[in-house]
Amino acid sequence: MTEIQLVRRPSGVPTADLFAFVDIEPPSVQPGTALVENLLLSVDPYMRECMDDDWELNAGLEGRAIARVIESGTPDLAPGDIVFHRKSWRTHALVTPAESRKIEEIPGVPLSAHLGILGGTGLSAYVGLTRIATLQPGETIFITAAAGGVGTAAGRIAKLLGAGRVIGSTGTTEKAKYLTEEASFDAAFSYRSGSIGELLAEAAPDGIDVCFDNVGGEHLAAAIDVLRPRGRIAWCGAVSSYNHQAPVAPSNLFEIVGKELRLEGFLVREHLDARPELYDFLTPYLRSGEVISDETIVPGFDSMVETFLAMLRGENVGKMLVEL
């Protein structure tokens, strides 16, 4: 088997030479464990922060994966079972039942959706909208990094929840077109085409009620300016600062007091109890084809590092995955 290890910490924008492909002996199956062959591997923005201190050097890396059991030493996992686990960045992994979760395949729904709109990505969007921002029917919402995995899921779910107007920001005019033509957004703009504040004000002349923020910095500042009194912000991420190139907090943060806004950050791992609710809510729409899991899938384990770096550069639409 082969795994990818981090061999040096990044300084600024990560590069491929920080990683190494290492061939190792497949782990032997012990009682209570199962050997799985990875099928789909997820690359996510949070991994950039992991590179700074969370991931150990010269060791296997954490990440979300969908895998098939090929050998088992536990009655809880049988050969052929499809499971979710967090030992990504490798071709095979040894897991226990406690470290994995069986995936019940849904007719008409691709396995990749269990890492996308039905996975942690979709759960982040659902929790942020329902538990944190408490989006109400008819409200206007602004979603930043809207063409990414969480952003596209948030846009689709917001529409299903009855949002009156869904606005997104993204990095290119092509992605903005995708959002409005393919992903249920009412309006979208490229933040590179002008002042973010002016672009958002033009897209939402009457203001917004909710912001689902994945970026921080200037995007968050624009949202605070345009939010109506007592508006809500669900803060999910801050990709603008992941390479230490921009401040996270906007300069107009005190407007939260004057407008009586509510800003709340959240970690999806604290809301895993919402997963059954997400499945019940989305499965009928996925089975009917009314909703899809937006995704960019790249073939081949040898593409893992470059796919991760491409995701950080914003070259994906929807969830970025590697298919083995």
Side-chain angles (χ1 to χ4, degrees), residues 39-278:
L39 306 175
L40 289 158
L41 305 177
S42 174
V43 292
D44 298 281
Y46 80 86
M47 292 175 170
R48 171 59 188 85
E49 291 185 297
C50 293
M51 295 180 71
D52 288 334
D53 46 36
D54 290 343
W55 282 346
E56 292 184 25
L57 295 179
N58 306 301
L61 305 178
E62 178 274 343
R64 299 165 179 153
I66 297 291
R68 179 184 291 111
V69 177
I70 57 175
E71 185 180 351
S72 180
T74 170
D76 295 321
L77 296 173
D81 283 349
I82 303 298
V83 298
F84 167 90
H85 66 88
R86 300 192 69 99
K87 295 182 179 181
S88 181
W89 295 83
R90 68 206 78 191
T91 57
H92 299 75
L94 196 67
V95 301
T96 67
E99 294 172 330
S100 58
R101 172 171 52 88
K102 284 187 185 181
I103 297 293
E104 299 296 333
E105 297 188 63
I106 303 170
V109 179
L111 277 179
S112 55
H114 294 275
L115 287 176
I117 201 166
L118 285 177
T121 295
L123 189 61
S124 295
Y126 183 78
V127 166
L129 293 171
T130 60
R131 293 188 174 184
I132 309 303
T134 59
L135 179 69
Q136 300 300 306
E139 290 189 323
T140 296
I141 180 171
F142 171 49
I143 301 168
T144 67
V150 174
T152 51
R156 292 188 182 277
I157 294 171
K159 272 297 184 184
L160 296 177
L161 292 171
R165 185 168 174 79
V166 179
I167 302 164
S169 66
T170 185
T172 69
T173 54
E174 292 78 12
K175 287 184 179 181
K177 184 177 180 182
Y178 176 88
L179 291 174
T180 55
E181 294 184 356
E182 304 290 339
S184 304
F185 282 71
D186 297 289
F189 59 84
S190 166
Y191 63 82
R192 293 187 172 97
S193 62
S195 161
I196 299 172
E198 292 176 2
L199 292 166
L200 178 56
E202 181 180 349
D206 298 321
I208 62 176
D209 302 289
V210 171
C211 172
F212 190 109
D213 187 32
N214 299 296
V215 178
E218 293 181 15
H219 283 76
L220 181 55
I224 290 172
D225 280 342
V226 176
L227 273 160
R228 299 184 181 115
R230 297 183 178 85
R232 291 95 65 205
I233 303 165
W235 201 351
C236 185
V239 296
S240 65
S241 66
Y242 283 173
N243 293 320
H244 313 293
Q245 295 174 318
V248 177
S251 58
N252 62 345
L253 202 58
F254 192 66
E255 287 187 35
I256 289 175
V257 176
K259 290 187 174 183
E260 297 182 283
L261 306 178
R262 177 164 59 82
L263 184 156
E264 184 176 349
F266 69 99
L267 296 171
V268 70
R269 66 172 180 253
E270 302 299 329
H271 298 272
L272 298 182
D273 63 299
R275 185 184 293 120
E277 188 179 325
L278 173 71

